[in-house]
Amino acid sequence: MKSKVLLGSLLLCLSLPTKAADNVWQWATRAGGESSDSANRILPGPGGGSYTLSSFTRDATFGTNQIIATADGSGLPAQAISRLDDGGQFLWSYQVESHANSLFPAPNGGLRVLSSWTVLVSVNPLQLEPHWILSRYDTNGTVVSTTQNPAGAIGVDEQVVAAVGDSSGGVEMLMGSGALRKIGADDQLAGTIQLTPAPAFTVVRMAVDGGGNVVLAGATGGYNFVVARYAANGTRSWLQSFGGGDPQFGAQVTDLVVDAAGNPIVTGSGDVGGPVTHFVAKIDAGDGHLVWSRQIGPVPGNIGTALGLDGQGRIYNAGTFYGDAQLGTLALPGHGYSEAFLARLEPDGTVDWVETFGGTESYQSFPEKQDVPTSIAVSAVGDVTIAGQFWRTSYYGPLANISVGDADAFVVRFGVTPVVQVESSGLNLLVGQVASFSAHATGKGPFTYQWYKGGAPIDGATQANYVISPLKAGDEGEYSVQVTGAVGTATSKGAVLVVRTEGIAIQLYAGIQLVGVVGNTYEILRKDDVGAPDWTVAATVTLTQTSQVWFDAESPGIPTRIYGFRLKP
């Protein structure tokens, strides 16, 4: 089920950005069951929505969808793919292969799911039986096609060690032999090239730039990590080592992206351009030298876990930190033993802002990481959707998630593009009643509004609230609102209004008592916003007695209305 709690101004201090961000927290949702669950991968979906890949160990609930975990003998947690809309609602969720580990975009708004695993056939001689399955799903979660390794394959040639989606809509898989296998947008094998020399390190992350150049990042087994770049023909251009000066903590890389110029961006933990702590660093595409590095210090346990880029090449970095910390000149005040962060950096390494989020548990009450962002999806304009795992209660500005089990999966949006929800006074009403619709938008404002009926704009309906009074039979239909902000436009889901011509209804009306001189005519004034500069004449009343009551027929559909009166000029 979805947990969305408005906490009021008292809790806003838990997640104040250390430098003003245009982004705002727009929604927060959770998923899971009684045991340990996590959202491990996230991918942009149609209409501003998202796809997620989550793990769960028992029965789990994703929105209104409950999945009963089905064991497959692997001993691994169950896996589920889900689609969420732009407001954070789960549209569907399905259990998939327990070895699923990666999500990639597919044509027509769908997604691909890669599952890979290896079976030990014999120890002496050593024989491995690798398996991989690449499944393609449409936007409704239906399997469209499946591609997999040849039956009976033995050895590292079919063992997938890393994979990434490429700019053509295909998927590139790095095999244990160093072969790079390309699956095209049509799900057919598009070719194989051999990386020379083959990587002699454990590949953790892989990226491909627009020119087909391949970047690999991984562990050496020592205290450092390495990044290597291969040309599109498979020839290695360079290999560089980073960190490793501290034998106690060492250095590790956790995520990798490449910018439009092919420069690798890496994040993780270790002594990369600074003390042993979190780092996010840019590496030169030409020769692999370190261009810049930024750290959240000073604790060695601070770590970056996820990266993303927007359409302007700005870098988004998520991770976890302990206590009070600092990124560049910006302070990150801690509110618990550990917290999560999201930072935005310019291509030159300038830190734009840092937003903190998460729980407030102390070390004594919860001596573990309480919030772990595992993956982020960044839109071209800078909407950031974050997936991960949290324990107990976590705060995201004025929103909160509350876990049901030991640990739950979370998905949250920190965005600028409008997200709009519509509330109504009722959708099954009688002729003569009042229907009202209220739009609630988040994102970067200011906002403008246009209401629609049946897809056609309603003349003059350009406010956050739209009222129909009194209702007529012809008012029946589907109503929606389009909200335009400083960054983009969003349209709400349609609300279908049914107008009945027979029945009874109980309504509460605002009653205004006028006291004055019999025979005098008074104007009753109204405005629906306390800050509005002008009053509107709601009615004209001539007193037939010194005290008289007037009822506002529109009032049942109005959330707030202020009244005044004056002697008619």
Side-chain angles (χ1 to χ4, degrees), residues 13 86 141 145 216 292 315 359 417 447 540:
C13 62
D86 65 345
S145 63
L216 306 177
W292 53 257
I315 301 154
T417 301
F447 301 116
T540 300

Side-chain angles (χ1 to χ4, degrees), residues 341-560:
F341 69 87
L342 176 68
R344 190 180 80 183
L345 299 87
E346 293 294 326
D348 65 359
T350 301
V351 181
D352 287 334
W353 47 257
V354 185
E355 178 81 2
T356 63
F357 59 96
T360 60
E361 300 283 349
S362 66
Y363 176 80
Q364 289 75 19
S365 64
F366 194 79
E368 302 286 345
K369 287 183 181 179
Q370 193 179 351
D371 306 274
V372 182
T374 57
S375 183
I376 62 176
V378 183
S379 73
V381 297
D383 298 310
V384 187
T385 311
I386 311 168
Q389 183 183 61
F390 78 102
W391 296 73
R392 299 187 179 180
T393 302
S394 288
Y395 303 102
Y396 319 89
L399 308 177
N401 274 327
I402 301 173
S403 66
V404 172
D406 294 337
D408 281 357
F410 76 81
V411 186
V412 295
R413 171 71 59 84
F414 191 56
V416 290
T417 301
V419 171
V420 57
Q421 295 180 343
V422 170
E423 294 181 358
S424 67
S425 59
L427 295 175
N428 194 327
L429 301 174
L430 284 168
V431 168
Q433 286 189 283
V434 177
S436 69
F437 301 90
S438 298
H440 302 276
T442 58
K444 184 180 180 182
F447 301 116
T448 60
Y449 304 85
Q450 176 61 63
W451 290 90
Y452 290 79
K453 178 188 176 187
I458 302 171
D459 186 38
T462 57
Q463 302 298 318
N465 299 324
Y466 177 59
V467 178
I468 310 171
S469 177
L471 277 173
K472 301 180 293 295
D475 292 323
E476 187 168 277
E478 183 178 78
Y479 291 82
S480 61
V481 64
Q482 184 180 79
V483 178
T484 300
V487 182
T489 298
T491 301
S492 71
K493 296 178 182 177
V496 178
L497 174 64
V498 175
V499 180
R500 294 178 287 119
T501 58
E502 295 180 325
I504 60 173
I506 298 175
Q507 294 278 26
L508 296 177
Y509 294 89
I512 310 300
Q513 184 177 12
L514 293 175
V515 178
V517 178
V518 174
N520 281 356
T521 300
Y522 297 89
E523 290 180 339
I524 299 176
L525 309 176
R526 66 166 176 82
K527 58 181 177 179
D528 297 337
D529 185 349
V530 68
D534 299 320
W535 291 87
T536 299
V537 177
T540 300
V541 178
T542 300
L543 291 187
T544 59
Q545 52 190 14
T546 57
S547 178
Q548 197 165 316
V549 176
W550 172 83
F551 289 96
D552 185 353
E554 293 183 353
S555 60
I558 307 300
T560 302

Side-chain angles (χ1 to χ4, degrees), residues 261-278:
N263 300 304
I265 314 293
V266 292
T267 192
S269 182
D271 54 336
V272 179
V276 180
T277 187
H278 152 276

